[in-house]
């Protein structure tokens, strides 16, 4: 419908010639596809009802196409719309994840919050949005792959993994802190760059609001990190290895986890690419 309205108003079918009404309709549709609040209601329930590998695809691969369209039309998008949906998504992503014990729902609200950061800066600096999106995919993919290896879908299950896979559990804890945006991990880079860009654009109040709202998400990330590392299950197994563990290669998980943790020092290089 919006394509027909745009063609009727402009005489062109190009995506770069969309007018206000068709552009707003397209933006809202793509943001619903991304799972941005208040159009997010489908995402936590769907992610909770599918397996971890499928959740990995839903949280990363499926978001590439709508994000690519938003980046192509970033110069036409409504600034008030992006700020409103971005702030709402950051708040919902933090508030919704506080009381959750299911890891897939926690990752769903984490995704909503991170995409809020991406959308807030989209109109100001599309290249920074793209960098933030790439880092989001790396961190989310590393987290889902780690959870798949541990076979954990609840906090209780991930707390029992320490005696079996201590190295992987340690990196999982660090990835959680990276998702929270704590230095010197990878997740600190996009939050720092976005805050600096907002301050440079004289949107200091917006930057302050974004940082304060993101403290909600920081709380449940630290809570989950505490459960993973500082609590012990009352039934810790005697065996240090999983019974009849199939031999598998962990090289992909190791690469993704490493990238999710140590990309902060090479952020200037990534900005030049």
């Amino acid at each position: 419908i919006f394509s027909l309205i745009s063609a009727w108003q402009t005489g062109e079918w190009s995506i770069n010639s969309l007018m206000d009404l068709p552009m707003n309709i397209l933006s809202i549709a793509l943001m619903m596809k991304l799972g941005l609040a208040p159009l997010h209601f489908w995402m936590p329930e769907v992610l909770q009802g599918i397996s971890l590998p499928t959740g990995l695809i839903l949280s990363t691969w499926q978001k590439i196409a709508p994000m690519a369209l938003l980046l192509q039309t970033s110069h036409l998008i409504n600034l008030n719309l992006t700020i409103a949906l971005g702030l709402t998504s950051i708040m919902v992503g933090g508030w919704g994840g506080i009381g959750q014990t299911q890891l897939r729902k926690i990752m769903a609200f984490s995704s909503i919050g991170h995409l809020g950061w991406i959308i807030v800066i989209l109109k100001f600096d599309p290249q920074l949005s793209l960098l933030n999106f790439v880092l989001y995919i790396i961190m989310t993919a590393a987290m889902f792959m780690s959870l798949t290896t541990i076979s954990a879908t609840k906090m209780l299950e991930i707390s029992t993994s320490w005696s079996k896979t201590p190295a992987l559990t340690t990196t999982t804890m660090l990835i959680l802190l990276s998702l929270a945006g704590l230095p010197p991990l990878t997740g600190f880079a996009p939050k720092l760059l976005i805050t600096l860009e907002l301050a440079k654009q004289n949107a200091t109040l917006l930057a302050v609001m974004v940082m304060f709202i993101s403290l909600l998400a920081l709380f449940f990330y630290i809570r989950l990190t505490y459960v993973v590392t500082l609590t012990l299950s009352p039934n810790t197994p005697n065996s240090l290895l999983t019974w009849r563990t199939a031999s598998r290669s962990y090289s992909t998980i190791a690469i993704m986890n490493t990238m999710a943790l140590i990309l902060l020092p090479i952020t200037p290089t990534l900005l030049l690419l």
Side-chain angles (χ1 to χ4, degrees):
I1 294 176
F2 63 81
S3 298
L4 291 174
I5 295 174
S6 176
W8 173 47
Q9 291 181 343
T10 64
E12 299 180 12
W13 289 95
S14 173
I15 194 173
N16 292 320
S17 63
L18 292 175
M19 303 297 289
D20 290 338
L21 178 60
M23 188 61 229
N24 290 337
I25 297 174
L26 174 63
S27 301
I28 293 173
L30 292 175
M31 290 175 184
M32 182 174 67
K33 182 74 172 176
L34 288 170
L36 287 167
L39 311 169
H40 68 287
F41 295 102
W42 63 272
M43 190 173 179
E45 301 301 327
V46 171
L47 202 59
Q48 175 61 26
I50 57 181
S51 63
L52 286 170
T54 312
L56 167 62
I57 297 173
L58 180 67
S59 300
T60 56
W61 182 261
Q62 188 184 356
K63 298 187 185 301
I64 294 177
M67 195 67 215
L69 288 173
L70 282 178
L71 287 170
Q72 290 181 49
T73 57
S74 60
H75 62 289
L76 300 172
I77 202 166
N78 190 319
L79 178 61
N80 295 327
L81 179 66
T82 58
I83 292 176
L85 266 68
L87 286 175
T88 308
S89 298
I90 297 171
M91 180 178 294
V92 169
W95 194 267
I98 287 178
Q100 297 294 333
T101 58
Q102 300 290 330
L103 294 175
R104 285 169 292 186
K105 276 195 174 182
I106 288 176
M107 291 306 298
F109 285 110
S110 169
S111 174
I112 294 169
H114 278 88
L115 288 168
W117 279 86
I118 296 171
I119 292 300
V120 160
I121 202 66
L122 179 64
K123 182 75 173 180
F124 297 104
D125 193 343
Q127 286 76 22
L128 185 53
S129 283
L130 178 59
L131 173 64
N132 195 355
F133 183 65
V134 171
L135 295 179
Y136 155 78
I137 287 181
I138 292 173
M139 293 186 292
T140 304
M143 189 64 196
F144 268 103
M145 292 170 70
S146 299
L147 293 178
T148 303
T149 305
I150 300 173
S151 299
T153 58
K154 293 183 291 187
M155 284 189 181
L156 179 62
E157 294 172 352
I158 199 172
S159 66
T160 62
S161 62
W162 178 261
S163 60
K164 299 177 182 179
T165 53
L168 185 58
T169 306
T170 303
T171 56
T172 302
M173 182 260 310
L174 292 174
I175 293 171
L176 285 171
L177 296 178
S178 182
L179 284 167
L182 295 182
L185 304 173
T186 300
F188 178 65
K191 288 182 170 55
L192 174 64
L193 294 173
I194 289 174
T195 305
L196 291 175
E197 181 64 28
L198 289 175
K200 190 188 301 181
Q201 298 286 345
N202 292 324
T204 310
L205 179 60
L206 177 59
V208 172
M209 290 175 62
V210 166
M211 286 189 290
F212 270 109
I213 295 173
S214 63
L215 292 177
L216 291 170
L218 178 62
F219 171 77
F220 79 76
Y221 282 123
I222 294 179
R223 171 173 168 261
L224 186 54
T225 304
Y226 169 78
V227 171
V228 171
T229 57
L230 299 178
T231 59
L232 290 176
S233 170
N235 297 315
T236 305
N238 294 324
S239 174
L240 295 178
L241 299 175
T242 306
W243 185 59
R244 292 186 179 179
T245 303
S247 59
R248 64 173 75 177
S249 175
Y250 292 98
S251 57
T252 305
I253 301 175
I255 293 172
M256 293 301 296
N257 287 5
T258 303
M259 292 175 65
L261 296 178
I262 64 169
L263 289 184
L264 177 62
I266 63 171
T267 301
T269 306
L270 296 177
L271 290 173
L272 294 176
L273 296 179

